[in-house]
């Protein structure tokens, strides 16, 4: 699971649910490793309610060298797609803003967001409309 002591630097990244049972949810990505899947928040970092999503469908892993998130898909009979292309199990791919991830009946879009914070300010104070749901994630 994610390391609650390490926060990803600016720009901030979001996962927004465009289609599926969780349409409209938005998650701010803050930790170095984020588990995405179906189920309860105590089992994955970003829980989805889509019945066609695996309990742990994929992870987002912060790559410090590239200052970007990588997508790591776990073996599952229901495929994960990236911009319409099926991703093979354990294939690691660099995500770019605008990329669409398809799992089950759900489509998520990976977004980058430039956030301006004054030195020493907390992100939450600069973005008061986001409320934390777990260490490393917040939901709009």
């Amino acid at each position: 699971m994610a390391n609650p002591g390490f926060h990803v630097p600016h720009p901030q990244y979001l996962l927004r649910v465009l289609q599926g049972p969780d349409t409209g949810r938005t998650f701010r990505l803050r930790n170095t490793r984020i588990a995405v899947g179906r189920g309860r928040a105590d089992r994955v970092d970003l829980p989805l309610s889509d019945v066609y999503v695996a309990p742990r469908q994929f992870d987002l892993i912060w790559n410090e060298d590239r200052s970007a998130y990588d997508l790591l898909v776990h073996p599952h009979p229901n495929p994960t797609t990236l911009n319409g292309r099926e991703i093979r199990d354990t294939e690691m791919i660099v995500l770019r803003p605008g990329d669409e991830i398809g799992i089950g009946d759900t489509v998520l879009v990976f977004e980058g967001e430039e956030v301006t914070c004054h030195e020493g300010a907390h992100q939450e104070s600069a973005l008061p409309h986001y409320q934390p749901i777990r260490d490393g994630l917040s939901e709009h």
Side-chain angles (χ1 to χ4, degrees):
M1 288 272 213
N3 176 356
F6 178 83
H7 294 288
V8 177
H10 301 295
Q12 293 299 301
Y13 293 98
L14 309 171
L15 265 187
R16 186 177 317 276
V17 183
L18 295 179
Q19 178 181 316
D22 299 298
T23 297
R25 293 177 73 191
T26 300
F27 300 91
R28 181 174 308 284
L29 310 177
R30 292 186 180 169
N31 283 350
T32 56
R33 188 173 192 121
I34 299 165
V36 179
R38 180 187 74 240
R40 302 184 330 220
D42 63 340
R43 302 207 178 197
V44 292
D45 299 304
L46 196 157
L48 299 170
S49 59
D50 188 334
V51 297
Y52 299 108
V53 172
R56 188 160 182 175
Q57 185 85 29
F58 65 83
D59 287 359
L60 299 176
I61 302 168
W62 180 250
N63 184 309
E64 186 69 30
D65 294 334
R66 287 193 296 271
S67 294
Y69 273 104
D70 292 332
L71 172 70
L72 174 65
V73 175
H74 297 289
H76 187 265
N78 293 333
T80 299
T81 62
L82 182 64
N83 301 322
R85 178 183 154 254
E86 188 172 325
I87 305 301
R88 292 187 169 91
D89 298 340
T90 68
E91 186 176 354
M92 187 94 75
I93 297 174
V94 178
L95 288 176
R96 307 227 185 291
D99 282 346
E100 290 188 3
I101 304 167
I103 50 176
D105 289 334
T106 298
V107 176
L108 304 147
V109 65
F110 179 77
E111 298 177 348
E113 175 182 78
E114 293 294 337
V115 178
T116 304
C117 287
H118 299 289
E119 190 170 324
H122 295 285
Q123 281 184 307
E124 290 76 15
S125 63
L127 299 165
H129 57 285
Y130 283 91
Q131 298 298 318
I133 59 169
R134 271 184 73 89
D135 285 338
L137 297 172
S138 60
E139 183 176 2
H140 181 250

